[in-house]
């Protein structure tokens, strides 16, 4: 049998070469392939780092310094990996907002969206555990604050926290298991990304017009490889600019101080991509309430396909939904800004307003705007 006839090649041919793609996709549709590239870059650089990193509380910090100073191109591999996490989140956030704008999450692509939200959750877990590995001050205190949130759960809270830690504080057992999971989860994400792609190809891509039938299609190769290439090159320039010229800009200077359980930093802040959720957590004065709100902010995304009541998929043609979308985007940026500020006037109040708007958008404004716009569409058709 000729090797080219093996099923694996027909799968690759169907999904990556011949895939019938709507001709009108714009550059925002390139962010999916870009997310795939980010995932591969993170896995490859992560494996290289793991060859020199030591997951022990006495050695982790200096093993990272060893990578930076002694390993050939270790500094490059580390900066590509550390900045890669930020780049991956930028890409995935744009990918998600593209989905929101063009209604790509509505029927028949609900399953595709749900897989996406699971990937997003796993990405957050991976990034959180990765940040603990250099065992700097922010690593240690970030891990302590976030894992401690589970203690808010009534009755079993403290037991869960000790179980997560593998002891009675964030310590060697915690660092070891975080390393193990940080290495493992990206492979789950890779599997899910393949399921994501298969789910996409089952119904076909949405497109900027949001129409389902009668949209002309062409093969993915070579047309969309070339179009995606423009995004890949632009993205690489921005990515490498950070790696070479601002390698620590997106990190926190305190993480260059070795972890010290006896000294608490004045401001414990997570990485920028967690800040909107951190703001929601802190907008509620009660610990349990804050934890519930923070998780609810992500869990609500699972229900999005059913919260959208509109008859028309994309919001380009819907003036109310369109304005609400931009408000939501601005609100998420405000939440991010609030998450990076200290808990005092006026940040607390602004955070509470923004957190309320976030939930109101999904629970009230999205379903209601759909109903109102449907009414206008139907009355226009009747005319
Ligand atoms: C590892 C992370 C991810 C990878 C590698 C990935 C990959 C892709 C790829 C290659 C596409 C097709 C190209 C495109 O439409 O952009 C796609 C489409 C899509 N993705 Fe993702 N994705 C990821 C995360 C997510 C997340 C977190 C969500 C949402 C929560 C999501 C929702 C969607 C939706 C709704 C589509 C369909 C777009 C359409 O047809 O209009 N993805 N994804």
């Amino acid at each position: 049998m000729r090797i080219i006839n093996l099923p694996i090649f027909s799968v690759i041919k169907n999904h990556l070469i011949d895939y019938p793609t709507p001709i009108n996709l714009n550059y925002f549709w390139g962010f999916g392939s870009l997310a795939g590239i980010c995932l591969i870059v993170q896995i490859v650089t992560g494996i290289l780092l793991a060859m020199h990193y030591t997951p022990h509380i006495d050695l982790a910090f200096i093993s990272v310094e060893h990578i930076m100073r002694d390993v050939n191109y270790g500094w490059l591999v580390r900066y590509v990996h550390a900045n890669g996490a930020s780049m991956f989140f930028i890409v995935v956030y744009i990918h998600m907002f593209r989905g929101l704008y063009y209604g790509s999450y509505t029927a028949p692509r609900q399953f595709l969206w749900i897989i996406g939200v699971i990937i997003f959750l796993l990405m957050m877990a991976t990034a959180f555990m990765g940040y603990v590995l250099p065992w700097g001050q922010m690593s240690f205190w970030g891990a302590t604050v976030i894992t401690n949130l589970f203690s808010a759960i009534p009755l079993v809270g403290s037991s869960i926290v000790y179980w997560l830690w593998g002891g009675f504080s964030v310590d060697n057992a915690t660092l070891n298991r975080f390393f193990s999971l940080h290495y493992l989860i990206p492979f789950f994400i890779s599997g899910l990304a393949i399921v994501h792609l298969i789910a996409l190809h089952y119904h076909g891509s949405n497109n900027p017009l949001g129409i389902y039938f009668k949209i002309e299609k062409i093969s993915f190769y070579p047309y969309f490889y070339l179009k995606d290439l423009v995004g890949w090159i632009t993205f690489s320039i921005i990515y490498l600019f950070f790696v070479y010229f601002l390698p620590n800009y997106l990190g926190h200077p305190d993480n260059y101080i070795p972890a010290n359980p006896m000294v608490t930093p004045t401001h414990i802040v997570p990485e920028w991509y967690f800040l909107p959720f951190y703001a929601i957590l802190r907008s509620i004065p009660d610990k349990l309430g804050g934890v519930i709100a923070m998780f609810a902010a992500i869990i609500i995304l699972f229900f999005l396909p059913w919260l959208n009541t509109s008859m028309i998929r994309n919001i380009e043609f819907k003036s109310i939904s369109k304005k609400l979308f931009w408000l939501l985007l601005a609100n998420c940026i405000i939440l991010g800004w609030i998450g990076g500020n200290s808990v005092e006037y006026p940040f607390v109040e602004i955070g509470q307003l923004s957190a309320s708007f976030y939930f109101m958008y999904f629970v009230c404004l999205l379903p209601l705007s759909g109903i109102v716009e449907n009414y206008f569409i139907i009355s226009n058709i009747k005319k």
Side-chain angles (χ1 to χ4, degrees):
M1 191 172 72
R2 282 173 55 212
I3 210 159
I4 203 79
N5 291 336
L6 288 173
I8 177 78
F9 291 107
S10 61
V11 169
I12 291 175
K13 192 167 180 295
N14 287 342
H15 288 281
L16 300 180
I17 293 174
D18 294 340
Y19 172 61
T21 319
I23 53 166
N24 59 339
L25 297 190
N26 60 33
Y27 285 108
F28 282 106
W29 264 261
F31 281 88
S33 64
L34 213 44
I37 291 178
C38 287
L39 182 60
I40 295 168
V41 170
Q42 288 309 90
I43 291 179
V44 172
T45 51
I47 290 173
L48 292 174
L49 287 174
M51 291 174 186
H52 302 276
Y53 169 79
T54 313
H56 188 284
I57 52 165
D58 295 333
L59 297 169
F61 189 88
I62 49 168
S63 73
V64 173
E65 282 309 302
H66 159 71
I67 291 170
M68 295 292 286
R69 289 154 199 265
D70 310 327
V71 174
N72 285 338
Y73 293 101
W75 58 273
L76 183 59
V77 179
R78 177 171 180 238
Y79 281 152
V80 168
H81 193 79
N83 286 283
S86 285
M87 296 299 144
F88 198 179
F89 273 95
I90 294 174
V91 166
V92 167
Y93 279 137
I94 297 176
H95 186 64
M96 291 168 77
F97 274 99
R98 184 283 315 262
L100 282 176
Y101 188 87
Y102 293 105
S104 300
Y105 59 89
T106 57
R109 298 183 185 78
Q110 303 96 319
F111 180 66
L112 167 71
W113 176 260
I114 287 172
I115 297 290
V117 182
I118 297 173
I119 291 178
F120 180 52
L121 271 169
L122 290 177
M123 272 177 70
M124 289 175 111
T126 310
F128 165 67
M129 287 187 276
Y131 197 55
V132 179
L133 304 184
W135 208 244
Q137 273 291 67
M138 270 309 152
S139 306
F140 178 83
W141 288 101
T144 304
V145 170
I146 300 300
T147 46
N148 246 314
L149 292 176
F150 289 93
S151 68
I153 301 171
L155 300 174
V156 288
S158 311
S159 312
I160 292 179
V161 176
Y162 296 150
W163 177 73
L164 286 175
W165 287 342
F168 296 99
S169 67
V170 171
D171 210 328
N172 202 43
T174 328
L175 178 62
N176 237 298
R177 63 189 53 191
F178 278 15
F179 175 58
S180 169
L181 292 171
H182 181 72
Y183 203 134
L184 180 69
I185 299 175
F187 294 96
F188 277 123
I189 297 180
S190 307
L192 284 172
I194 293 171
V195 178
H196 190 67
L197 205 66
I198 293 170
L200 172 78
H201 290 186
Y202 187 77
H203 290 290
S205 298
N206 182 24
N207 63 81
L209 291 173
I211 47 176
Y212 196 35
F213 298 106
K214 298 255 167 93
I215 196 88
E216 201 171 329
K217 294 187 174 177
I218 45 175
S219 68
F220 193 79
Y221 178 84
Y223 304 104
F224 286 95
Y225 273 90
L226 271 179
K227 188 155 187 162
D228 283 4
L229 192 65
V230 177
W232 299 346
I233 293 172
T234 315
F235 172 75
S236 307
I237 293 171
I238 299 170
Y239 190 166
L240 291 177
F241 178 78
F242 272 94
V243 168
Y244 283 105
F245 296 103
L246 297 169
N248 292 303
Y249 183 75
L250 298 165
H252 198 290
D254 279 13
N255 232 24
Y256 279 103
I257 304 170
N260 184 351
M262 307 304 282
V263 179
T264 315
T266 21
H267 297 296
I268 301 175
V269 273
E271 293 282 81
W272 70 265
Y273 35 82
F274 291 133
L275 291 177
F277 299 103
Y278 196 52
I280 293 177
L281 167 83
R282 295 191 308 180
S283 68
I284 296 184
D286 171 60
K287 189 172 175 185
L288 180 61
V291 173
I292 293 174
M294 185 180 71
F295 282 107
I298 305 168
I299 302 300
I300 203 158
L301 297 176
F302 281 112
F303 300 97
L304 207 52
W306 296 276
L307 290 168
N308 185 330
T309 51
S310 181
M311 285 164 46
I312 293 190
R313 180 170 294 116
N314 127 32
I315 61 171
E316 194 63 57
F317 310 116
K318 302 183 288 186
S319 61
I320 309 174
S321 303
K322 198 172 177 176
K323 290 185 182 76
L324 288 176
F325 169 86
W326 290 112
L327 280 177
L328 176 74
L329 182 61
N331 189 63
C332 289
I333 295 170
I334 292 173
L335 277 173
W337 166 63
I338 293 295
N341 275 295
S342 41
V343 192
E344 60 188 19
Y345 175 83
F347 306 117
V348 178
E349 289 74 9
I350 300 174
Q352 286 170 341
L353 280 175
S354 298
S356 314
F357 180 83
Y358 181 89
F359 287 107
M360 226 163 70
Y361 174 85
F362 292 111
V363 181
C364 297
L365 300 173
L366 182 68
L368 277 181
S369 60
I371 293 169
V372 171
E373 282 161 346
N374 285 349
Y375 171 78
F376 284 120
I377 292 160
I378 291 168
S379 38
N380 266 333
I381 293 171
K382 279 184 186 160
K383 273 186 211 159

